[in-house]
Amino acid sequence: MKNRIADLRAERSWTQADLAQRIGVSRQSINAIETGKFDPSLPVAFRLARVFNLRIEDIFADDE
């Protein structure tokens, strides 16, 4: 699953650790999601959408 998290973070000058703290996950989880090694759970996806003030589908795109 592709995502725009790294770009959205950069626009706000947030580190992976900053974002992780804001949504209650580890920095390693943010790294794994950004690199496509891990798809977030639905609750984490909702928290990401909320922190960026976007819809989930504005952040994530299916690879197909």
Side-chain angles (χ1 to χ4, degrees):
M1 178 174 293
K2 296 180 183 177
N3 67 73
R4 301 178 41 217
I5 296 171
D7 293 334
L8 294 167
R9 262 192 326 96
E11 290 171 7
R12 291 157 178 81
S13 300
W14 293 347
T15 65
Q16 288 180 341
D18 293 334
L19 178 56
Q21 183 177 19
R22 290 171 187 267
I23 67 165
V25 299
S26 69
R27 185 206 55 80
Q28 293 88 345
S29 293
I30 297 298
N31 181 270
I33 294 168
E34 284 184 359
T35 59
K37 294 178 182 171
F38 177 75
D39 290 333
S41 66
L42 196 51
V44 170
F46 272 107
R47 290 197 303 262
L48 284 163
R50 197 172 309 116
V51 77
F52 290 124
N53 198 31
L54 295 169
R55 299 176 307 159
I56 291 174
E57 54 265 38
D58 294 331
I59 299 172
F60 296 95
D62 194 3
D63 285 338
E64 294 179 20

